[in-house]
Amino acid sequence: PKYMVSFLRDDIYDEDEILIDEAPKIYEDGGSLDMIRDRALMFLDKYNEENPSKKMELVLFEDALKHMLRINRLIEMPRGSGLLVGVGGSGKQSLTRLAAYISKAMCFQITLTKQYNRSSLLDDIRILYKSAGHKR
């Protein structure tokens, strides 16, 4: 089977490690799952370096890697959305967080508490609307 991905190319940096140009998002043949796994693990290591408080220890076995590729494809699509359904602890949040990091997308999560109410939901939606309206 062919696995098409858009995260094989690297960002371009100058000799002082300053970002010159972001990697182009070209949807291309990713090769074997082992090659894609190596690339995904490289992104996972970068994520863990940049976010030590939210460090993820993931084992990207074949099914997990395929699911991460699907989630990544959803995030990359214009107006892409998805509903992830499954038992707790199956890796939905972690794979989504990794896919969002690879796509350079913002990850937002509502934290439910006993005091969470309608106004809290409206505040969260207001934050999302403001972040969606800003250019990055």
Side-chain angles (χ1 to χ4, degrees):
K2 275 195 169 210
Y3 300 101
M4 304 296 286
V5 296
S6 63
F7 54 84
L8 292 180
R9 298 174 186 242
D10 291 317
D11 293 336
I12 301 170
Y13 294 93
D14 65 5
E15 60 274 351
D16 298 326
E17 295 296 320
I18 297 173
L19 181 67
I20 296 173
D21 196 18
E22 286 191 356
K25 293 291 183 182
I26 298 172
Y27 208 53
E28 56 194 344
D29 185 7
S32 69
L33 270 183
D34 290 330
M35 291 169 55
I36 296 171
R37 181 179 292 111
D38 292 340
R39 186 75 177 166
L41 289 173
M42 184 269 303
F43 278 110
L44 179 62
D45 291 340
K46 282 174 65 175
Y47 176 87
N48 287 336
E49 285 175 19
E50 294 176 19
N51 303 289
S53 64
K54 298 178 184 176
K55 190 172 181 178
M56 293 189 291
E57 299 287 338
L58 295 179
V59 176
L60 293 176
F61 54 92
E62 186 175 331
D63 283 342
L65 189 59
K66 287 179 181 177
H67 286 302
M68 194 275 301
L69 292 175
R70 288 183 194 107
I71 296 166
N72 180 261
R73 193 173 311 123
L74 283 172
I75 292 172
E76 294 277 338
M77 289 172 57
R79 297 183 180 188
S81 62
L83 176 65
L84 304 180
V85 179
V87 296
S90 60
K92 295 180 297 292
Q93 283 184 15
S94 300
L95 291 176
T96 302
R97 200 170 284 134
L98 177 60
Y101 178 78
I102 289 171
S103 299
K104 296 182 173 111
M106 183 191 83
C107 211
F108 182 83
Q109 185 173 1
I110 292 173
T111 305
L112 295 178
T113 62
K114 287 184 179 181
Q115 292 81 28
Y116 197 85
N117 56 19
R118 185 177 182 174
S119 67
S120 303
L121 175 65
L122 293 175
D123 289 340
D124 284 340
I125 292 173
R126 193 172 298 116
I127 291 168
L128 282 174
Y129 277 171
K130 284 181 181 178
S131 68
H134 286 275
K135 287 187 177 179
R136 289 181 214 155

